[in-house]
Amino acid sequence: MIRPIVKYPAPELEEICIPVSDFNSDLKELAGDMLETMYSAPGIGLAAPQLGVNVRLIVVDVTAGQEDGYQLVLVNPEVAEHSGRQKEEEGCLSIPGITAAVERPDWVRVKAQDLEGNEFEIEGNELLARVLCHEIDHLEGILYLDKLSPLRRDLLKRKIKKLIRAGEW
Ligand code: NI
């Protein structure tokens, strides 16, 4: 089921999410809804708090569903190791229509669990590293806006306020 995406500046996006301990059917249903919602947007990543659910679950597909074999569901993900740097334009489904250049590691190794609770690791570079870091940040209540210089952040926040006032958000 496609669910509405929570938009900035909703307080749900600023909360630290709770680790998943029950690998039950509700979790599988939530993951399914997150994938469906991400693909319909379309987007390449989505975190549970963006659907207003305060748990440590993210979904990622760097092809936005255009190719098979790229779909990732990560429960309780953690960046175990990272290296390098990249700075590219980045967006967020909770901050629609706006992008900014954000610095991220160029390579990450992420530890996570699958929907059955089995532990696994994945490595990613470039876009995959960026998306993984972006989505894992969501679980800490961190948005990419928080990674920008104060000047750039204030500029974008003012732009968003204007859009909200105009009823275009
Ligand atoms: Ni996001």
Side-chain angles (χ1 to χ4, degrees):
M1 188 180 72
I2 295 169
R3 301 197 204 177
I5 295 175
V6 172
K7 281 189 206 168
Y8 174 87
E12 292 97 312
L13 297 174
E14 291 181 12
E15 286 172 15
I16 294 176
C17 295
I18 297 162
V20 172
S21 53
D22 274 347
F23 293 83
N24 56 20
S25 59
D26 286 353
L27 184 71
K28 291 177 181 76
E29 190 182 326
L30 175 61
D33 287 355
M34 284 170 61
L35 286 165
E36 209 179 322
T37 304
M38 174 181 79
Y39 287 135
S40 81
I44 59 173
L46 194 72
Q50 294 182 277
L51 297 188
V53 185
N54 189 39
V55 297
R56 303 186 81 85
L57 170 63
I58 65 171
V59 297
V60 168
D61 183 337
V62 290
T63 75
Q66 296 304 298
E67 287 178 52
D68 288 339
Y70 289 88
Q71 182 177 297
L72 293 169
V73 175
L74 292 95
V75 183
N76 299 326
E78 272 176 49
V79 176
E81 204 183 337
H82 62 86
S83 70
R85 270 192 228 169
Q86 56 168 319
K87 195 170 185 181
E88 299 291 339
E89 285 294 309
E90 191 165 317
C92 178
L93 292 175
S94 293
I95 311 169
I98 288 173
T99 62
V102 183
E103 195 173 293
R104 298 281 184 189
D106 194 44
W107 173 87
V108 289
R109 182 166 59 85
V110 170
K111 285 185 182 179
Q113 286 166 280
D114 66 18
L115 289 170
E116 310 297 333
N118 304 305
E119 291 179 8
F120 69 99
E121 286 190 359
I122 56 156
E123 291 177 23
N125 59 7
E126 298 176 355
L127 183 60
L128 180 56
R130 165 172 301 282
V131 185
L132 287 168
C133 290
H134 177 115
E135 302 311 330
I136 292 171
D137 271 356
H138 270 298
L139 305 181
E140 296 298 320
I142 297 168
L143 299 173
Y144 79 76
L145 294 176
D146 302 315
K147 313 279 254 195
L148 305 176
S149 71
L151 195 73
R152 186 92 186 108
R153 179 166 56 240
D154 289 349
L155 199 79
L156 287 183
K157 285 186 173 177
R158 274 207 299 277
K159 192 172 166 183
I160 294 166
K161 268 185 197 152
K162 237 186 227 171
L163 289 169
I164 292 171
R165 271 202 302 273
E168 290 166 13
W169 189 245

